[in-house]
Amino acid sequence: MAGVLFFLYSAVSLRIHQRMLSNSYDLGIFEQVVRSYADGHLPVSELKGPGFPVLGDHFSPALVLVAPFYALHRSAATLLVVQAALIALSVVPLALWARRALGPVAGTVIGACYGLSWGIASAVGFDFHEVAFAAPLLAFSLAALGSDRLTAAACWALPLLLVKEDLGLTVGVIGLVIAWRGARRLGHVTAATGLVGTLLALLVILPAFNPSGSFAYWFLADTPAGAAGASGGSGPLDLLYRGTVGLVAPQTKLSTLVLLLAPTVFLAVRSPLLWVAVPTLVWRLFSNNYVHWGTGYHYSLVLMPIVFAAFVDALVRRGTTVGSLRRYLAAAAAVALMALPSFPFWQLFNPATWRTDPRVAVAHSLMKKIPDDATVQASTYLVPQLTNRTSVSLYGYPVSRPSPQWIMVDTWVAPRWRWPLTYEAERGLLEQARSSGYRTVADRDGFVLLHLTGRPERTPVSGDLNASEHKG
């Protein structure tokens, strides 16, 4: 099952990348991080700013484990395949636990429902992310916890501290559940380690590396002006609202909570393992960034192992009869099948997925004109095609390196995918570049390639942004 799912995940993400639909934020950023590790130095990302130290953005040293694979094949595809392997691996402990506790049919059905769940589909369909490491760690930890192998549960949980700064809180809750299960000293030590790890990351490590001297994402706790009648900021009344009613309003948040539990026929709420999902849910629903509230992107990946572990635990704890077990499994399978057409796995059944736009070949032929190690600004969908051999940043983004040697822009990209510039701002910025010393090397099928022939008369500046950065 894990092998089949690995092939499925790889096929989806690689076809997206091959069709030039992967993004600068986030695949380009993570490839620059892994490339840094592979080159033997601390991670930097040109996309976050010239020489930006990524350990000041998110604390994810686990990414160094991808570097040996990247050294063998220096391509964004390597990251996508590694991610597919990590997520597929997470199926194994959950399916085996369900098989031991509930029988082979339950193991097969629960493993398949988990592997095809919408949270995993959304993550696989959107670039690469460090939280791919969290999926197998959580699955192994919670499967051990549900089987009363408490020391193993703690050992699998602690490496989450190296995946992302907020996951220390998840480790803390796992520790509390371990203590509740009877191993009080082990549980309390695990919980304390998780809490201290998160505090160290947020208050010491990230500020030490970040050029601003603080954690970059505190602004997500601010209340936007006009939200629920608030004037903006983080006043007590605003925080009270967002910490209560605001956790389920607007409707997008409530819909996500329902969809999160639906694959388990809402039985997961009967297991204490579901508490492990609380830290991730709270920061997402409390955030002022609307993309954190829904079912898109990678944000639900870490929740899927928790929800399905709670499902197995609830089935075991309630002493389910053969008949009721079959009904629960049938309902879970039905929910998984109904959700499939709305999420990226369904792309494999779409003939368009297996057709490559001729413009992709044109883009690659033009990119070959850009020499290795050159400084480049490029459109967001072109960036991941260049991160393996150039110093590339996002065209028109305020923090991008000014006056790059090369500029490559896709001027035909559809309005809904155009980021960060509007069409008018992009056109104006290109004209400004041409008048500032850039020569047009190629203008073909909507792709414009410019080269800086001398010192620019003035530095091109970014146009107006039409979308906010969603990474965080």
Side-chain angles (χ1 to χ4, degrees), residues 230-459:
S231 58
S234 301
L237 292 179
D238 296 333
L239 294 178
L240 177 62
Y241 173 84
R242 293 173 61 201
T244 52
V245 177
L247 293 178
V248 292
Q251 184 180 344
T252 302
K253 299 179 181 180
L254 185 59
S255 298
T256 297
L257 291 174
V258 171
L259 286 172
L260 184 65
L261 296 171
T264 70
V265 203
F266 299 92
L267 194 62
V269 297
R270 298 189 179 187
S271 169
L273 296 187
L274 193 61
W275 285 102
V276 179
V278 169
T280 298
L281 282 173
V282 168
W283 80 251
R284 282 182 58 188
L285 301 178
F286 192 83
S287 167
N288 62 27
N289 190 339
Y290 70 92
V291 299
H292 293 155
W293 307 341
T295 57
Y297 306 107
H298 60 288
Y299 298 112
S300 296
L301 176 59
V302 298
L303 297 175
M304 291 295 108
I306 301 171
V307 168
F308 277 88
F311 184 35
V312 177
D313 186 56
L315 288 171
V316 173
R317 289 165 61 86
R318 73 192 304 269
T320 310
T321 65
V322 174
S324 62
L325 176 61
R326 288 176 178 174
R327 287 192 292 272
Y328 279 121
L329 295 177
V335 172
L337 291 174
M338 286 190 294
L340 272 178
S342 300
F343 293 94
F345 291 154
W346 198 252
Q347 293 180 22
L348 295 178
F349 300 97
N350 185 351
T353 300
W354 305 103
R355 293 194 295 267
T356 302
D357 190 329
R359 295 183 71 240
V360 172
V362 173
H364 282 288
S365 68
L366 297 183
M367 284 187 279
K368 288 180 181 178
K369 299 179 182 292
I370 302 174
D372 293 351
D373 299 319
T375 57
V376 186
Q377 278 193 26
S379 298
T380 186
Y381 293 111
L382 300 176
V383 165
Q385 312 296 326
L386 292 164
T387 41
N388 65 326
R389 64 181 187 86
T390 68
S391 180
V392 61
S393 53
L394 179 60
Y395 181 68
Y397 205 59
V399 299
S400 295
R401 183 179 293 276
S403 304
Q405 296 167 319
W406 295 82
I407 293 174
M408 186 168 176
V409 180
D410 180 2
T411 62
W412 285 6
V413 67
R416 64 172 297 194
W417 303 116
R418 184 175 292 278
W419 183 76
L421 299 174
T422 62
Y423 174 76
E424 291 76 14
E426 180 184 272
R427 183 174 56 183
L429 201 57
L430 283 173
E431 290 303 317
Q432 184 178 344
R434 289 188 178 99
S435 65
S436 302
Y438 284 86
R439 176 177 62 88
T440 301
V441 176
D443 187 346
R444 182 180 170 192
D445 288 353
F447 294 107
V448 176
L449 180 64
L450 306 180
H451 178 47
L452 183 61
T453 56
R455 188 172 182 176
E457 296 178 8
R458 61 184 184 274
T459 301

Side-chain angles (χ1 to χ4, degrees), residues 157 170-180 183-184 186-192:
T170 301
V171 174
V173 178
I174 291 175
L176 294 178
V177 177
I178 290 173
W180 179 76
R184 293 187 177 181
L186 174 65
H188 293 156
V189 169
T190 302

Side-chain angles (χ1 to χ4, degrees), residues 30-31 33-35 37-38 61-73 75-76 78-83 86 128-130 132-133:
F30 283 111
E31 185 176 3
V33 171
V34 173
R35 181 181 173 185
Y37 281 128
L63 288 170
V64 72
L65 298 176
V66 187
F69 301 98
Y70 187 80
L72 295 175
H73 183 66
S75 167
T78 300
L79 277 70
L80 299 174
V81 171
V82 167
Q83 175 172 261
L86 288 168
F128 170 92
H129 297 91
E130 73 282 80
F133 283 95

Side-chain angles (χ1 to χ4, degrees), residues 208-234:
F209 282 96
N210 194 293
S212 70
S214 65
F215 178 51
Y217 296 100
W218 289 127
F219 71 90
L220 293 173
D222 292 338
T223 304
S231 58
S234 301

